[in-house]
Amino acid sequence: MPTGFRILKRERAISPELVAAFAALPVANISDCMSRMTAGGPRLRPMHKGGVMAGPAFTVKSRPGDNLMVHKAIDLAAAGDVIVVDAGGDLTNAIIGELMLAQMVKKRLGGIVINGAIRDSAAIAGQPFPVYAAGITHRGPYKDGPGEINVPVAFDGMIVAPGDLIIGDEDGLLAVAIDEAEAILAATRAKHAAEEKQMAAIEAGTSDRSWVDASLKRLGCEGL
């Protein structure tokens, strides 16, 4: 099986229970609990109407501008899966459009992430199926390969292994490794609860702001 043109079987995937638990939390809070060191890159933005995307990653590595293996991934992916496409970040040719979107919706997939471009952007923007991409172009794709399915991919240093959680909201994308998911979930729930408590204190006018001057003094700021 030649490297660069192959279809592998995904061996495992994050559980539906963990997917649902993470989907109820802001991506920013999850990111904070991962030391703010992981991100899918600022170019990958939501192209759909809005709403959270969360599901196990079904990864594709494609030649820039070619979507043959993305078509095959749509055929193979299960309901709830998020197809994650590394198309090299090239924006010359679109990887998906309205027709492929309809196929993914019909299969009840969880969304698609493309380090590349889309087209039929008005149709994609008018519906809730999660689509994240780096740009838009009217130029269509080629269908010649090569490419790989269910191999690790990376966006701006964020590694996505097949079956990892991929989650996105209006702030962007994040991948959570299967083996770290439970610990990160617990930390994120605690972080989110602390922020809700802080918000309540702000609204009540009891928020403690003394930390600002304490930090400035510790850092040697003049003029306090």
Side-chain angles (χ1 to χ4, degrees):
M1 184 178 294
T3 298
F5 202 13
R6 57 185 178 173
I7 298 171
L8 302 179
K9 181 179 179 181
R10 189 175 67 185
E11 298 297 333
R12 60 180 185 154
I14 192 164
S15 71
E17 293 77 17
L18 282 172
V19 170
F22 273 102
L25 297 165
V27 168
N29 284 168
I30 305 169
S31 178
D32 286 345
C33 295
M34 297 174 69
S35 298
R36 301 167 183 162
M37 290 291 289
T38 300
R43 290 204 313 159
L44 295 173
R45 305 306 306 157
M47 299 289 180
H48 56 293
K49 183 186 295 184
V52 174
M53 176 188 70
F58 196 94
T59 61
V60 181
K61 189 174 180 65
S62 69
R63 180 169 66 88
D66 190 288
N67 74 357
L68 177 61
M69 288 305 234
V70 181
H71 276 283
K72 185 59 179 176
I74 293 172
D75 291 342
L76 294 175
D81 283 346
V82 175
I83 295 178
V84 180
V85 184
D86 177 8
D90 183 77
L91 305 181
T92 307
N93 299 85
I95 297 299
I96 70 159
E98 186 176 9
L99 295 176
M100 292 176 75
L101 174 73
Q103 291 174 328
M104 290 184 282
V105 171
K106 183 68 173 178
K107 288 202 66 176
R108 299 172 56 226
L109 301 186
I112 187 166
V113 176
I114 304 167
N115 190 16
I118 63 165
R119 67 176 181 177
D120 302 329
S121 58
I124 289 172
Q127 56 76 53
F129 182 86
V131 177
Y132 288 75
I136 299 168
T137 179
H138 58 78
R139 296 176 67 177
Y142 299 99
K143 295 176 173 60
D144 304 306
E148 297 178 292
I149 290 176
N150 284 324
V151 296
V153 297
F155 305 151
D156 282 4
M158 182 182 79
I159 298 171
V160 186
D164 282 353
L165 172 72
I166 186 83
I167 186 165
D169 63 15
E170 289 78 8
D171 286 339
L173 293 163
L174 192 60
V176 180
I178 298 173
D179 292 336
E180 300 175 4
E182 290 191 6
I184 292 171
L185 175 62
T188 303
R189 282 173 165 165
K191 170 70 174 176
H192 188 55
E195 288 199 355
E196 288 184 325
K197 183 177 179 180
Q198 185 178 0
M199 183 63 75
I202 292 171
E203 293 177 353
T206 59
S207 178
D208 182 4
R209 302 290 294 166
S210 61
W211 69 268
V212 178
D213 285 348
S215 294
L216 291 171
K217 183 177 180 180
R218 174 176 56 83
L219 294 168
C221 179
E222 296 182 9
L224 288 178

